[in-house]
Amino acid sequence: MKALGFAELFAQLALLNQSQRQQVLTALHPAAGLDRVVALIDEIRRDGRRCPDCGCERWHRHGRANDLQRFRCCACGRTFNDLTGTPLARLRHKDKWLDYLAAVLESRSVRAAAKRIDVHRNTAFRWRHRFLHRVKDDRPARLSGIVEADETFLLESQKGSRKLDRKPRRRGGRAALRGISRHLDCILVARDRSGQTIDAVTGRGALKAAQLTTYLLPKLDPQALLVTDANATYPAFARAHGIAHQAVNASAGERVRMSSAGAIHIQNVNAYHRRFREWLARFHGVASRWLSNYLGWQWALDGGRVASVEQLLRIAFGVINR
């Protein structure tokens, strides 16, 4: 539209009634959402932009496609855009991304989110795990000071699978074996007193010292004091790696005791377990294969750590293309 025609049209906006203004806003909302998300993508990728194929930082602009600027690598000649090689590549309806991320921050179900932004429920489910793919990796580098660690268990689920490796259970059902068995997913959570948290789905059944070496040891400060329950796996792990360790015997009624290092308890990590279970209940069961994504989602929301769609979109990119 020419500038003169736009000026005349813009001058008439003041003459619109409330219903007409709402219609104009509704018509402009998708375009405004698209412009906003494209600008955010450019801002996020601008400083670290490089060829996803060879890693070269020398490139030049090479036209536009699918509402995004394309680039050509000066070294290998490959073309790419800011989504190439990311979990968000080839996702459509960019104008609805920020509205969808708002639904993620509100912990809406797949069907509720799909209805809100007017997409198919399969699209909403696919978007959920594309956007959460890197969120689960957004974790602190180290836990220091007094570090509480404990495991919790959820019934394994093959929800959505076309073929099961066991007999189907009615509406989730119960584990076929009593106690801690191969029918339960083990979730390890470690949390220091500053609120920094790491978690991992270690596998099926009881926690093993080798799993602690894999998931906890790289994140544990050498000077940290590890506080756990009376599970024998933890002292064996601590002795093997020279880590200071204190145990709380909750089964004997011990909750808190004082020491020179401070209060010895695992109430922070147990409270985190409780919040995670209460939050997860709204989804009426999740498949084991996606459990790590839900752990990342809960960590992003816990305590209001991620409070805006822009921040969530930045985490979804992570260190992609590096």
Side-chain angles (χ1 to χ4, degrees), residues 80-277:
F80 62 95
N81 63 30
D82 285 333
L83 298 181
T84 304
T86 77
L88 310 185
R90 301 184 184 278
L91 286 187
R92 300 182 180 182
H93 305 299
K94 297 181 185 65
D95 55 308
K96 299 181 178 182
W97 284 9
L98 297 182
D99 289 336
Y100 180 77
L101 289 177
V104 170
L105 289 178
E106 295 170 6
S107 299
R108 292 181 177 266
S109 67
V110 167
R111 293 177 184 271
K115 183 177 180 180
R116 176 173 176 173
I117 65 172
D118 192 25
V119 297
H120 194 271
R121 61 182 180 275
N122 291 350
T123 300
F125 179 80
R126 184 170 61 252
W127 283 13
R128 170 183 288 181
H129 294 291
R130 290 284 195 97
F131 282 109
L132 294 177
H133 182 73
R134 292 301 175 95
V135 174
K136 67 177 182 293
D137 299 325
D138 181 48
R139 289 293 189 274
R142 286 283 182 178
L143 301 180
S144 58
I146 297 178
V147 178
E148 303 174 24
D150 197 10
E151 71 275 14
T152 187
F153 296 90
L154 294 176
L155 185 63
E156 66 87 18
S157 172
Q158 299 177 39
K159 183 178 180 180
S161 300
R162 295 183 181 273
K163 295 182 180 180
L164 305 181
D165 58 12
R166 53 165 172 76
K167 292 183 179 180
R169 297 190 297 258
R170 184 181 295 275
R171 294 188 178 276
R174 302 173 63 182
L177 301 176
R178 296 179 61 184
I180 299 174
S181 69
R182 66 180 185 277
H183 298 287
L184 300 177
D185 291 316
C186 179
I187 301 173
L188 172 68
V189 177
R191 185 175 174 91
D192 66 20
R193 295 292 168 85
S194 68
Q196 297 298 312
T197 305
I198 63 166
D199 50 50
V201 181
T202 61
R204 303 271 171 85
L207 183 67
K208 301 177 178 61
Q211 295 168 338
L212 289 173
T213 302
T214 300
Y215 297 105
L216 180 58
L217 184 61
K219 297 288 187 177
L220 199 60
D221 189 276
Q223 305 303 318
L225 171 62
L226 181 63
V227 179
T228 68
D229 59 12
N231 187 336
T233 304
Y234 293 106
F237 160 75
R239 285 194 301 270
H241 298 284
I243 298 170
H245 174 252
Q246 293 279 348
V248 176
N249 193 352
S251 60
E254 185 181 27
R255 293 292 182 267
V256 183
R257 72 170 183 270
M258 298 305 298
S259 73
S260 58
I264 303 300
H265 61 76
I266 55 171
Q267 295 180 2
N268 288 329
V269 71
N270 285 338
Y272 192 85
H273 287 166
R274 176 182 54 80
R275 292 197 299 273
F276 175 66
R277 286 177 172 274

Side-chain angles (χ1 to χ4, degrees), residues 15-133:
L15 304 178
L16 301 179
N17 59 35
Q18 182 178 2
S19 176
Q20 291 170 336
R21 288 196 299 270
Q22 187 60 46
Q23 292 180 44
V24 171
L25 290 174
T26 302
L28 291 177
H29 183 74
L34 177 61
D35 292 342
R36 187 179 171 198
V37 78
V38 169
L40 275 171
I41 291 171
D42 179 70
E43 179 185 343
I44 293 169
R45 301 303 304 146
R46 185 184 305 152
D47 294 336
R49 185 179 293 131
R50 61 182 64 195
C51 175
D53 189 58
C54 68
C56 179
E57 298 182 355
R58 295 172 52 248
W59 43 262
H60 59 81
R61 297 180 183 275
H62 190 71
R64 298 184 66 86
N66 300 318
D67 303 307
L68 293 176
Q69 176 69 52
R70 290 197 64 81
F71 308 94
R72 180 181 290 277
C73 176
C74 295
C76 67
R78 296 287 295 271
T79 61
F80 62 95
N81 63 30
D82 285 333
L83 298 181
T84 304
T86 77
L88 310 185
R90 301 184 184 278
L91 286 187
R92 300 182 180 182
H93 305 299
K94 297 181 185 65
D95 55 308
K96 299 181 178 182
W97 284 9
L98 297 182
D99 289 336
Y100 180 77
L101 289 177
V104 170
L105 289 178
E106 295 170 6
S107 299
R108 292 181 177 266
S109 67
V110 167
R111 293 177 184 271
K115 183 177 180 180
R116 176 173 176 173
I117 65 172
D118 192 25
V119 297
H120 194 271
R121 61 182 180 275
N122 291 350
T123 300
F125 179 80
R126 184 170 61 252
W127 283 13
R128 170 183 288 181
H129 294 291
R130 290 284 195 97
F131 282 109
L132 294 177
H133 182 73

